[in-house]
């Protein structure tokens, strides 16, 4: 296998990721739908829920525009109901394929070893975390694909202008779609400047070329944002104002500084963790490890933490693991260990993509195909299920609703005291369900959806509703309010509410 990846390998990886994408039946996090598919669905089909981030123009339009283009393309040659399902899956598989292939290319470029590159590709394909996450429509997956592609062109060993400019282009693009990725690229840029500080003329020409690329990218993406938002706006500034200046991100929770060290990295690597520990010891002086350590340390200092925020650096972890794994390939027990890791990863991947949290997807599919459903109300934590991008029924748009959890945008800054005092609609419901239901701010729908944790209280307060469907959702859940089955309550049409 040469540095230039044969087309047949691309196709095989893509088919693998297609199977991956279409096999996923479980819910992970709301952003998969509400920060990608809902705005894309609205753009193409005329309806879709826009969260407050889109009203405040905090996000780049490039990600939903990508999925909108897929909806448009698939709608040309297949029924609309099929296109809505297939377009996001195929797009996600393409993005994941790019990540897999460029993990190989990064390993080949950095370690300059064909065997390590092959090992890195295999580890990427056999990763339970990648199987669970990489084909979903998260912005973090696009960010990861752009990042690892950019890293594969970075001048790790020898300076060449064109590969560096291509790397800069991909790096800037990843920062535009998600500004926090500037942490990663600022580390690399600083190291490159320090390395070339004695070569002033080369450094000056490089900075000028990079500045031109950035200016062109900002111009093009501003046009895309103008088209999407129907006004001139600068999401990067809006994002920084909300998260940094006003610090309103604290309303979405915080985690201890060691979250990524003791939860994020171990969960994502799983069976690869021993190889990663060994890689840290063997590669602690490498630039690649320095990049990984700096990124994790920087994100550990940010209060709001989520596993998928480490997506951009995940390929780097795999590339580090691949070097160690390949070096130890002659060890007698390695084949047994590899078989055990693969077995564990397959089991974990199956459980979290086919079993746990399956009800949150299934309930929307059930409601979509039921002709008796005239309106829907979700008495669940906000964004617990997909919405119009999966429901895809225009007749349900006006009469259907769910509990919201928007931050207090009227505040000048977020503080620990504000977090305790502010109560959004979701908080009001769980603080006092009986009072909330007696003063429901919505019309009563034909179908209500609740979690098992609220079953007794809701059924007691709403005698005009009866259980008409119960769906298994999870054996366990990180959120106590989402534990257990999902229950659909139907309204007795013979009784007036």
């Amino acid at each position: 296998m040469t540095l230039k990846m044969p087309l047949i390998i691309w196709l095989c990886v893509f088919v693998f990721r297609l199977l991956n994408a279409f096999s996923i039946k479980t819910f992970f996090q709301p952003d998969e739908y509400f920060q990608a598919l809902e705005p894309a669905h609205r753009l193409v089909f005329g309806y879709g829920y826009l969260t407050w981030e889109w009203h405040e123009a905090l996000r780049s339009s490039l990600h939903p525009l990508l999925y909108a283009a897929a909806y448009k393309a698939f709608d040309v040659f297949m029924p609309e109901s099929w296109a809505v399902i297939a377009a996001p899956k195929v797009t996600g598989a393409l993005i994941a394929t790019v990540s897999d292939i460029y993990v190989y290319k990064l390993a080949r470029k950095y370690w300059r070893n064909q065997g390590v590159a092959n090992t890195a590709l295999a580890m990427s394909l056999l990763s339970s975390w990648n199987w669970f996450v990489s084909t979903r429509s998260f912005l973090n997956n696009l960010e990861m694909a752009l990042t690892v592609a950019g890293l594969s062109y970075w001048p790790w060993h020898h300076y060449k202008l064109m590969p560096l400019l291509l790397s800069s282009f991909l790096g800037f693009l990843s920062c535009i779609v998600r500004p926090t990725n500037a942490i990663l690229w600022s580390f690399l840029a600083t190291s490159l400047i320090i390395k070339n500080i004695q070569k002033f003329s080369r450094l000056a020409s490089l900075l000028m070329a990079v500045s031109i690329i950035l200016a062109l990218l900002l111009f093009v993406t501003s046009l895309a944002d103008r088209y999407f938002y129907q006004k001139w706006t600068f999401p990067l500034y809006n994002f920084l104002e909300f998260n940094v200046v006003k610090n309103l991100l604290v309303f979405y929770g915080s985690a201890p500084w060691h979250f990524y060290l003791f939860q994020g990295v171990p969960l994502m690597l799983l069976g690869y963790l021993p190889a990663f520990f060994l890689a840290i010891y063997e590669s602690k002086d490498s630039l690649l490890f320095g990049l990984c350590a700096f990124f994790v340390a920087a994100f550990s200092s940010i209060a709001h933490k989520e596993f998928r925020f480490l997506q951009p650096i995940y390929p780097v972890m795999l590339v580090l693991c691949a070097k160690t794994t390949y070096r130890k390939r002659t060890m007698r027990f390695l084949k047994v260990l590899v078989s055990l890791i693969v077995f564990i990863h397959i089991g974990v991947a199956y459980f979290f993509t086919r079993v746990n949290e399956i009800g949150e997807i299934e309930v929307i599919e059930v409601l979509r195909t039921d002709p008796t459903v005239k309106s829907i109300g979700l008495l669940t934590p906000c964004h617990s299920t997909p919405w119009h991008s999966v429901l895809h029924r225009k007749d349900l748009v006006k009469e259907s609703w769910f509990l919201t959890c928007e931050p207090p945008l009227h505040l000048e800054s977020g503080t620990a005291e504000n977090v305790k005092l502010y109560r959004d609609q979701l908080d009001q419901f769980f603080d006092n369900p009986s009072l909330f239901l007696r003063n429901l701010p919505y019309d009563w729908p034909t179908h209500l959806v609740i979690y098992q944790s609220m079953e007794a209280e809701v059924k007691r307060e709403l005698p005009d509703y009866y259980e008409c469907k119960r769906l298994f959702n999870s054996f366990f859940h990180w959120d106590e309010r989402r534990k257990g089955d999902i229950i659909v309550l139907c309204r007795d049409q013979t009784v007036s509410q």
Side-chain angles (χ1 to χ4, degrees), residues 113-120 322 326:
N113 185 296
Q114 187 65 51
V116 175
N118 294 341
T119 303
Y326 183 72

Side-chain angles (χ1 to χ4, degrees), residues 326-344:
Y326 183 72
R327 285 184 67 254
K328 302 296 182 183
R329 67 189 184 280
T330 58
M331 296 178 65
R332 291 183 178 180
F333 66 90
L334 188 62
K335 289 185 178 180
V336 176
L337 181 60
V338 168
S339 299
L340 178 61
I341 290 172
V342 170
F343 178 78
I344 292 173

Side-chain angles (χ1 to χ4, degrees), residues 23-254:
S23 71
I24 293 177
K25 299 296 181 183
T26 58
F27 189 84
F28 179 29
Q29 288 181 339
D31 283 8
E32 179 180 356
Y33 300 95
F34 288 89
Q35 305 303 352
L37 302 187
E38 286 295 317
H41 191 278
R42 183 185 183 92
L43 196 64
V44 176
F45 301 108
Y47 60 102
Y49 187 87
L50 294 183
T51 61
W52 65 270
E53 291 102 323
W54 297 103
H55 290 295
E56 298 295 320
L58 262 67
R59 293 179 176 267
S60 168
S61 63
L62 295 182
H63 189 228
L65 284 174
L66 179 64
Y67 283 91
Y71 280 140
K72 279 282 190 181
F74 278 72
D75 197 32
V76 171
F77 60 87
M78 65 172 56
E80 186 174 295
S81 58
W82 293 8
V84 168
I85 297 172
K89 299 288 189 182
V90 175
T91 304
L94 279 170
I95 293 172
T97 298
V98 170
S99 296
D100 290 325
I101 295 298
Y102 276 97
V103 163
Y104 163 86
K105 292 192 174 187
L106 173 59
R108 180 70 177 82
K109 176 76 172 288
Y110 189 83
W111 296 118
R112 293 184 283 194
N113 185 296
Q114 187 65 51
V116 175
N118 294 341
T119 303
L121 177 59
M123 295 183 81
S124 184
L125 294 175
L126 293 173
S127 164
S128 57
W129 176 259
N130 271 348
W131 185 269
F132 178 55
V133 175
S134 69
T135 62
R136 298 177 186 265
S137 51
F138 287 118
L139 175 61
N140 308 91
N141 289 329
L142 177 61
E143 178 190 16
M144 178 173 70
L146 291 170
T147 299
V148 69
L151 292 177
S152 71
Y153 294 108
W154 188 259
W156 300 103
H157 307 294
H158 303 293
Y159 173 88
K160 289 184 179 180
L161 182 60
M162 289 311 296
L164 178 57
L165 293 181
L166 181 54
S167 179
S168 300
F169 171 82
L170 293 168
F172 281 137
L173 195 56
S174 71
C175 294
I176 288 172
V177 298
R178 188 163 178 81
T180 51
N181 207 33
I183 292 172
L184 182 151
W185 292 100
S186 64
F187 176 87
L188 288 178
T190 301
S191 66
L192 185 65
I193 290 172
I194 293 173
K195 188 176 181 180
N196 291 274
I197 198 70
Q198 301 297 329
K199 304 170 184 177
F200 180 78
S201 59
R202 172 187 288 184
L203 188 60
S205 61
L206 171 62
L207 292 176
M208 182 176 295
V210 169
S211 298
I212 293 173
I213 291 175
L214 177 58
L216 289 173
L217 265 178
L218 290 176
F219 175 72
V220 173
T221 55
S222 293
L223 292 178
D225 291 331
R226 173 69 179 82
Y227 169 75
F228 182 86
Y229 287 108
Q230 295 296 298
K231 64 179 181 180
W232 290 108
T233 186
F234 194 39
L236 178 59
Y237 171 80
N238 300 335
F239 178 90
L240 293 174
E241 181 184 34
F242 177 86
N243 291 297
V244 180
V245 178
K246 292 186 175 181
N247 193 38
L248 292 176
L249 186 65
V250 297
F251 287 95
Y252 284 93
S254 61

Side-chain angles (χ1 to χ4, degrees), residues 345-364:
H345 280 202
I346 290 174
V348 170
Y350 181 86
F351 179 76
F352 284 102
T353 58
R354 304 287 297 181
V355 180
N356 209 55
E357 292 191 65
I358 192 173
E360 289 157 327
I361 303 292
E362 189 179 0
V363 68
I364 299 300

Side-chain angles (χ1 to χ4, degrees), residues 371-389:
T372 67
V373 176
K374 304 302 179 184
S375 56
I376 302 168
L378 303 183
L379 288 173
T380 63
C382 60
H383 310 139
S384 291
T385 70
W387 200 226
H388 296 304
S389 57

Side-chain angles (χ1 to χ4, degrees), residues 258-279:
H258 51 73
F259 174 84
Y260 291 126
L261 292 178
F262 298 134
Q263 296 182 58
V265 172
L267 184 146
M268 295 171 75
L269 289 174
L270 205 62
Y272 300 155
L273 196 59
F276 186 65
F277 285 146
L278 191 57

